[in-house]
């Protein structure tokens, strides 16, 4: 199990696993040696395995391999076999194999700052998303399939934030937690929930793009977009892939807390569909822009229609950050490359995605603002006739082509 763990964990956990293997090999080698009262026996001091030596003999060993992670300078440690046994290491490990404590302090401060930023970002996003869902669900004139998809997307961002909070509370609840060997059912559930939240988030971003493409590409108001199929796919596929991943991890790679698997082949059960959805979303974004440009060209004779399409096109501008173009770049880089850039983008900036989605889909939405204004000024929207949930079409003069002027 220890051998299989190597290569499937974070670098710092690789160091610990390597030390444990070295200790095990050292102790086994010492047991195979015949007992003798002369000289010094083979021994393990916690970092290095000192071989058997004769009395008065000096043994020199290089610093453990993982010290090269902190310093490019190679060091060495000596020990003397005396009549009373092994002497203390000379020079001491902190001198011979120095670790820059200020660097470790800076790293700890950096990670703490990143955690504060993404915790604040997710908290703000959750509050904003709950308010957005309440508005879209409460106001009857806003109830339509496209806004229902918006609320599903809002829910995935809330689920994503909740999974982050659960994972932090489970894995990083104390400074003394050894997450290289920490393994409980709750921590595995938190990691699986985190993957499920991420996958549902990407699947509903895809559902948004598919539904908008369907509305723009349809040439008849009688054409209905597959809303319930999107609901089934948006929640079903993530459950299928995460369930498959959990089964493989439980059966073949039940290591630590399941969060140390970036090099595991089973990681592609999660990573593969996400990368595919990001690629498809990017293609749909380009297709949406193409359709909008073509329809705007057809509507050149009508300033009102152009205004309607421009209002609709502005809603697609946020698709670029939502589709996670930065994920396309970073998912094709090695997992340990560019951490200084990836952490602020994926954790810091990514935590505010839910806030941005709620602002653009709800609070800056002209129809939402109109309904809120009606209620604020004393006009009860419930007394007004319900707004039709299907698309409205007009015939711009001279074009001979029906164009979409309002979608829901």
């Amino acid at each position: 199990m220890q051998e299989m763990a190597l290569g499937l964990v974070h670098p710092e956990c690789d160091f610990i696993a390597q030390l444990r293997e070295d200790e095990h090999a050292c102790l086994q080698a010492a047991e195979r040696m015949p007992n003798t009262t002369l000289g010094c026996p083979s021994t393990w001091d916690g970092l290095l395995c000192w071989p058997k030596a004769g009395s008065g003999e000096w043994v020199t060993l290089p610093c453990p391999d993982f010290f090269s992670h902190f310093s490019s300078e190679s060091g060495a440690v000596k020990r003397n076999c005396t009549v009373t046994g092994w002497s203390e290491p000379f020079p001491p490990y902190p001198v011979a194999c120095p670790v820059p404590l200020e660097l470790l302090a800076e790293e700890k401060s950096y990670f703490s700052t990143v955690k504060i930023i993404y915790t604040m970002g997710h908290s703000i996003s959750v509050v904003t998303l709950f308010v957005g869902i309440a508005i879209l669900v409460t106001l009857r004139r806003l109830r339509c399939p496209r806004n229902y998809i918006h609320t599903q997307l809002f829910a995935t961002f809330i689920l994503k934030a909740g999974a982050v909070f659960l994972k932090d509370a489970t894995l990083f609840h104390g400074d003394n937690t050894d997450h290289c060997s920490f393994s409980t059912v709750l921590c595995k559930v938190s990691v699986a929930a985190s993957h499920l939240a991420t996958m549902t988030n990407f699947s509903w971003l895809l559902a948004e793009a598919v539904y908008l493409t369907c509305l723009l590409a349809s040439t008849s108001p009688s054409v209905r977009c597959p809303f319930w199929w999107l609901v089934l796919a948006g929640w079903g596929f993530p459950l299928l892939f995460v369930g498959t991943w959990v089964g493989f991890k439980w059966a073949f790679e039940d290591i630590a807390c399941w969060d140390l698997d970036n090099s595991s082949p089973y990681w592609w059960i999660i990573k593969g569909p996400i990368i595919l959805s990001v690629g498809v979303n990017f293609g749909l974004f380009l297709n949406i822009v193409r359709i909008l440009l073509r329809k705007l060209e057809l509507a050149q004779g009508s300033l009102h229609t152009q205004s309607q399409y421009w209002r609709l096109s502005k809603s697609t501008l946020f698709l670029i950050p939502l589709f996670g173009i930065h994920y396309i770049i970073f998912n094709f880089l090695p997992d340990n490359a560019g951490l200084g850039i990836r952490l602020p983008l994926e954790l810091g900036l990514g935590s505010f995605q839910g806030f941005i989605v709620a602002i653009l889909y709800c609070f800056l939405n002209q129809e939402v603002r109109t309904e809120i204004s009606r209620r604020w000024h004393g006009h009860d929207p419930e007394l007004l006739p319900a707004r039709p949930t299907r698309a409205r079409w007009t015939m711009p003069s001279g074009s001979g082509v029906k164009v979409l002027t309002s979608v829901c």
Side-chain angles (χ1 to χ4, degrees), residues 250-404:
W250 190 278
F252 305 110
E253 237 176 50
D254 193 8
I255 301 169
C257 200
W258 294 359
D259 66 323
L260 310 172
D261 56 358
N262 287 342
S263 300
S264 168
Y266 305 120
W267 177 231
W268 283 97
I269 299 175
I270 302 295
K271 191 174 183 177
I274 291 177
I275 294 177
L276 178 62
S277 69
V278 171
V280 173
N281 268 330
F282 185 64
L284 288 174
F285 170 75
L286 297 178
N287 188 47
I288 289 170
V289 173
R290 180 188 64 82
I291 295 174
L292 283 173
L293 292 176
R294 179 170 56 86
K295 289 184 176 291
L296 285 171
E297 182 180 357
L298 293 174
Q300 285 183 356
S302 172
L303 294 177
H304 174 70
T305 303
Q306 283 186 324
S307 175
Q308 292 281 354
Y309 271 120
W310 173 240
R311 181 174 62 85
L312 181 61
S313 66
K314 288 193 297 184
S315 68
T316 66
L317 297 179
F318 71 92
L319 293 178
I320 295 178
L322 288 185
F323 287 177
I325 293 179
H326 60 280
Y327 280 96
I328 296 179
I329 299 173
F330 289 129
N331 271 299
F332 287 97
L333 290 175
D335 292 313
N336 59 348
L339 289 179
I341 301 177
R342 294 178 65 170
L343 285 178
L345 282 178
E346 295 189 11
L347 296 181
L349 184 61
S351 66
F352 288 93
Q353 277 190 336
F355 172 75
I356 297 173
V357 170
I359 293 297
L360 293 175
Y361 266 134
C362 182
F363 299 104
L364 293 183
N365 185 294
Q366 185 61 44
E367 294 170 346
V368 173
R369 294 168 65 183
T370 300
E371 292 304 310
I372 293 177
S373 178
R374 289 171 190 252
R375 175 161 295 193
W376 181 264
H377 290 92
H379 300 288
D380 187 357
E382 300 296 332
L383 300 178
L384 300 173
R387 183 170 60 85
T389 59
R390 63 178 185 174
R392 296 198 299 269
W393 300 74
T394 61
M395 182 84 73
S397 58
S399 67
V401 180
K402 287 185 178 181
V403 294
L404 183 65

Side-chain angles (χ1 to χ4, degrees), residues 40 45 63 79 94 145 154 156 168-169 183 193 307 311 369 374 397:
C40 300
D45 69 353
C63 292
R79 294 184 77 176
F154 290 6
T156 67
D168 282 352
S183 179
S307 175
R311 181 174 62 85
R369 294 168 65 183
R374 289 171 190 252
S397 58

Side-chain angles (χ1 to χ4, degrees), residues 11 50 165 185 380:
W50 296 90
F165 296 149
V185 174
D380 187 357

Side-chain angles (χ1 to χ4, degrees), residues 44-125:
W44 173 260
D45 69 353
L47 290 175
L48 291 173
C49 183
W50 296 90
K52 180 181 177 181
S55 180
E57 181 180 356
W58 282 87
V59 178
T60 302
L61 294 178
C63 292
D65 292 338
F66 67 83
F67 278 96
S68 62
H69 177 73
F70 304 102
S71 176
S72 58
E73 298 180 2
S74 59
V77 183
K78 299 179 181 180
R79 294 184 77 176
N80 182 25
C81 178
T82 66
V83 293
T84 59
W86 285 107
S87 66
E88 292 297 322
F90 177 83
Y93 281 111
V95 177
C97 311
V99 176
L101 298 180
E102 63 277 4
L103 177 61
L104 298 180
E106 289 178 3
E107 287 187 355
K108 184 176 181 180
S109 175
Y110 172 74
F111 289 124
S112 297
T113 302
V114 172
K115 183 178 180 181
I116 292 173
I117 292 174
Y118 74 69
T119 300
M120 180 178 64
H122 283 303
S123 300
I124 294 174
S125 294

